[in-house]
Amino acid sequence: MKGGKVLLLLLFLNIIASGVIAGSPPTCPADHSSGCDDSDEWKGEFFPGIPKIKYEGPSSKNPLAFKWYKAEKTILGKKMKEWMRFSVAFWHTFRGTGGDPFGAPTKYWPWEDGTNSLAMAKRRMRANFEFLEKLGVDMWCFHDRDIAPEGKTLEESNANLDEIVALAKELQGTKIHPLWGTAQLFVHPRFMHGAATSSEVGVYAYAAAQVKKAMEVTHYLGGENYVFWGGREGYQSLLNTNMERELNHLARFMEAAVAYKKKIGFKGTLLIEPKPQEPTKHQYDWDAATAANFLRKYGLQGEFKLNIECNHATLSGHSCHHELETARIDGLLGNIDANSGDPQIGWDTDQFLMDVAEATMVMLSVIRNGGLAPGGFNFDAKLRRESTDVEDLFIAHIAGMDTLARGLRNAAKLIKEGALAELVRGRYESFDTEIGAQIEAGEANFELLEKKAIEWGEPNVPSAKQELAEMIFQASL
């Protein structure tokens, strides 16, 4: 009898220790060694101490609060969340290590166990959705090989991906979905010569199979877009490269992607992401204009739009605003990878966008475009190598969201006040004449223009008022 009481007491203590009587899932520190995350069903807390991020206004000193981003606030007829459509990049946020070309990783998140196992992939996925919920963002982006480990065969890789995607589907619920998905066709040695532009037909076929699967899971998860970034679609030397043949192969690959998208009923937008170089010396989607020309040449302009990354614009010798305007004018602006680079560093640093002036110019393009939907702003940005605290993940995203929100407010102010638009209109008012209308309609031939030149004599060329334009712009910040 006494032994039975002891047994019952031990059982009762064990129940208390296991958290069963608490009536809720165990809240554990974000530490894989804590022992409470061994099960795939574990729903403990990866970010203990981090509350759901709220709006507190510009006067707030709380680093874990929004100062400018107020999701429900209406600006120019749309809510902030509709203008922004923010997304978290899985690869930088949950696979970023802090490594760079000259140094080893510096980030060792407490939930990581040092493996790339399926169990670890599931743990990361759970961390991803807790992060999204606390940040108040309902979209995410992914590469196939970032969310699931690559297997020894394509079949094994696909099975791994299916298992992780099933969990992601469950965790998404009805509110969260991917802004876009993509295939990682640049890390594995098989892609050393490219994927769709590889000189080896076996690699071309493998890349096609991988894109097929990635497009299927993006569709299954409710993704609104699918991205093609040609990380190694280019060349190191023209001496051993048949550029014409590679470009033709790339076009055939894109045509096949369009056909498969339609076959599976995927309604999302296909996006090409321009980048001039790195890792290849020259990439075939150098900038927005180059990518647009590729689409025109191969008759694909009605099937694709562009995903403009601000740091890639810098590397191609342009501003982000230039690339956005180029894409917008061509009717190709589909999505923005919100980041920035460092003018003193020569590679793609993928920093969070913190420049309010740049954000204001970005938002001017977005407003002129009528928004980005079904695209949005994906934070293709990573913590600095020296930022190693878990809370830094939140601080960086909060700052990036606030910067773009502040840019939206500034851009709306510029548009409402109208001074900048009036300055620009005034510069071109000589074309708001009968002869100007003829020119713009393609009805003014050289004979007519010569007659007018003789009639008018030496033209009077007015000031461009650049400093005034800059003064007006700066006053909005």
Side-chain angles (χ1 to χ4, degrees):
M1 188 71 176
K2 184 176 181 180
K5 289 181 179 179
V6 171
L7 184 61
L8 285 172
L9 177 62
L10 289 174
L11 179 61
F12 180 69
L13 290 173
N14 184 58
I15 291 173
I16 294 176
S18 67
V20 171
I21 65 170
S24 61
T27 297
C28 303
D31 183 352
H32 74 88
S33 64
S34 64
C36 62
D37 63 344
D38 293 335
S39 169
D40 288 344
E41 299 304 315
W42 177 69
K43 298 179 177 64
E45 193 171 3
F46 286 89
F47 303 98
I50 304 290
K52 185 173 178 63
I53 308 304
K54 297 179 179 179
Y55 174 79
E56 294 185 1
S59 63
S60 174
K61 303 299 181 184
N62 179 7
L64 295 175
F66 295 119
K67 287 79 178 172
W68 299 96
Y69 177 62
K70 191 174 184 181
E72 299 297 326
K73 181 177 177 62
T74 298
I75 294 180
L76 298 179
K78 291 183 182 180
K79 294 180 179 180
M80 271 194 164
K81 66 181 182 181
E82 294 170 345
W83 281 116
M84 304 306 191
R85 291 173 55 81
F86 286 127
S87 169
V88 171
F90 189 92
W91 55 97
H92 282 320
T93 305
F94 293 100
R95 301 307 304 272
T97 66
D100 66 21
F102 304 98
T106 60
K107 294 173 178 49
Y108 305 95
W109 303 130
W111 56 80
E112 292 285 336
D113 64 8
T115 72
N116 194 29
S117 64
L118 276 169
M120 187 64 246
K122 290 179 181 179
R123 191 177 301 133
R124 291 190 197 104
M125 191 58 69
R126 292 189 183 280
N128 173 55
F129 283 97
E130 181 183 327
F131 184 81
L132 292 170
E133 191 277 329
K134 288 190 171 182
L135 188 62
V137 171
D138 57 12
M139 288 188 285
W140 61 297
C141 293
F142 66 91
H143 295 84
D144 52 358
R145 298 297 181 255
D146 293 330
I147 62 173
E150 181 151 11
K152 294 179 180 179
T153 65
L154 182 61
E155 294 89 342
E156 185 179 328
S157 296
N158 286 347
N160 290 345
L161 185 58
D162 283 339
E163 191 165 341
I164 299 304
V165 166
L167 175 62
K169 182 75 169 179
E170 173 191 334
L171 296 173
Q172 280 187 166
T174 58
K175 179 183 177 183
I176 298 174
H177 63 277
L179 178 62
W180 51 260
T182 188
Q184 188 194 80
L185 304 176
F186 49 89
V187 171
H188 196 282
R190 76 173 69 91
F191 299 122
M192 71 173 76
H193 304 311
T197 60
S198 176
S199 53
E200 293 300 316
V201 71
V203 175
Y204 186 98
Y206 199 104
Q210 196 172 328
V211 168
K212 173 182 177 291
K213 183 64 175 179
M215 194 178 293
E216 289 168 356
V217 301
T218 300
H219 180 37
Y220 174 72
L221 290 171
E224 295 189 64
N225 306 269
Y226 184 88
V227 166
F228 292 87
W229 175 57
R232 297 191 187 277
E233 310 294 22
Y235 62 80
Q236 300 293 357
S237 172
L238 280 175
L239 294 175
N240 63 351
T241 300
N242 186 329
M243 186 195 293
E244 181 178 14
R245 201 169 188 185
E246 289 193 1
L247 284 168
N248 288 338
H249 291 171
L250 181 59
R252 300 292 89 82
F253 194 94
M254 295 303 188
E255 289 169 356
V258 170
Y260 193 67
K261 165 196 163 176
K262 294 177 180 178
K263 182 176 182 178
I264 64 174
F266 177 47
K267 304 299 184 183
T269 303
L270 301 181
L271 299 165
I272 291 178
E273 182 176 325
K275 187 178 183 182
Q277 73 277 318
E278 193 195 56
T280 56
K281 176 181 177 179
H282 178 99
Q283 288 172 205
Y284 293 137
D285 51 4
W286 180 276
D287 60 5
T290 305
N293 185 62
F294 172 84
L295 294 175
R296 288 191 196 99
K297 177 179 178 181
Y298 293 101
L300 292 166
Q301 62 268 43
E303 304 290 353
F304 288 84
K305 288 191 175 183
L306 301 183
N307 178 39
I308 300 297
E309 180 171 323
C310 291
N311 200 171
H312 292 179
T314 305
L315 293 176
S316 65
H318 304 302
S319 67
C320 187
H321 195 205
H322 168 89
E323 287 291 270
L324 293 174
E325 284 296 280
T326 300
R328 182 186 69 79
I329 291 166
D330 279 336
L332 295 173
L333 179 53
N335 194 80
I336 297 174
D337 270 2
N339 61 19
S340 64
D342 189 318
Q344 293 177 297
I345 298 178
W347 68 81
D348 191 2
T349 53
D350 285 330
Q351 297 173 221
F352 279 84
L353 177 58
M354 304 290 189
D355 187 324
V356 175
E358 184 176 10
T360 302
M361 290 186 282
V362 165
M363 292 313 304
L364 280 171
S365 289
V366 172
I367 291 170
R368 289 169 185 156
N369 199 59
L372 293 172
F377 283 95
N378 173 48
F379 283 110
D380 188 5
K382 57 191 176 187
L383 294 180
R384 295 305 83 210
R385 176 177 168 79
E386 302 81 10
S387 298
T388 57
D389 291 340
V390 169
E391 74 165 8
D392 291 335
L393 290 171
F394 284 90
I395 292 170
H397 282 83
I398 291 166
M401 294 166 75
D402 267 343
T403 300
L404 284 163
R406 194 171 175 184
L408 173 61
R409 292 170 186 251
N410 293 343
K413 179 181 177 183
L414 279 168
I415 290 169
K416 287 177 180 177
E417 291 178 350
L420 188 60
E422 178 58 26
L423 186 153
V424 174
R425 188 206 62 77
R427 280 198 72 198
Y428 299 92
E429 65 182 354
S430 66
F431 280 86
D432 298 330
T433 58
E434 182 180 355
I435 186 64
Q438 287 179 284
I439 291 170
E440 292 182 344
E443 298 171 354
N445 57 36
F446 273 11
E447 289 85 357
L448 173 60
L449 294 172
E450 179 188 45
K451 180 181 177 182
K452 288 295 183 181
I454 293 171
E455 177 187 330
W456 293 335
E458 185 63 30
N460 177 36
V461 183
S463 170
K465 297 291 185 183
Q466 181 174 331
E467 289 75 15
L468 177 57
E470 291 173 352
M471 179 185 290
I472 294 168
F473 179 79
Q474 291 295 330
S476 74
L477 303 181

